[in-house]
Amino acid sequence: MLLLRVVVLVVAIGLGVLVLTWALTGDRKYLRYAGRLAKYGLFLVLLFLGLLAFERLAVLV
């Protein structure tokens, strides 16, 4: 769970920096980077939670 918290923290900081950079420069490439980071971060979190759920199911069976 510590790994999940670190990933969420890094993604949140990255999103904040990218959105702030977009707001200050007006360059839409930073907004695209933020979208990609959010998408891949969400994918990693869902993958991690899926593995945890699979582990619990495997222990029950």
Side-chain angles (χ1 to χ4, degrees), residues 1-43:
M1 286 310 249
L2 180 63
L3 178 65
L4 180 63
R5 289 180 184 173
V6 170
V7 168
V8 168
L9 182 66
V10 168
V11 169
I13 290 171
L15 282 173
V17 168
L18 285 169
V19 170
L20 181 65
T21 305
W22 166 71
L24 293 176
T25 64
D27 194 356
R28 292 191 54 87
K29 74 177 178 180
Y30 297 111
L31 201 55
R32 284 193 304 268
Y33 292 151
R36 282 190 206 142
L37 181 63
K39 182 173 60 173
Y40 293 133
L42 181 63
F43 175 74

Side-chain angles (χ1 to χ4, degrees), residues 41-58:
L42 181 63
F43 175 74
L44 285 175
V45 167
L46 290 176
L47 179 68
F48 184 75
L49 290 175
L51 289 174
L52 285 178
F54 179 72
E55 179 185 5
R56 287 201 182 250
L57 286 174

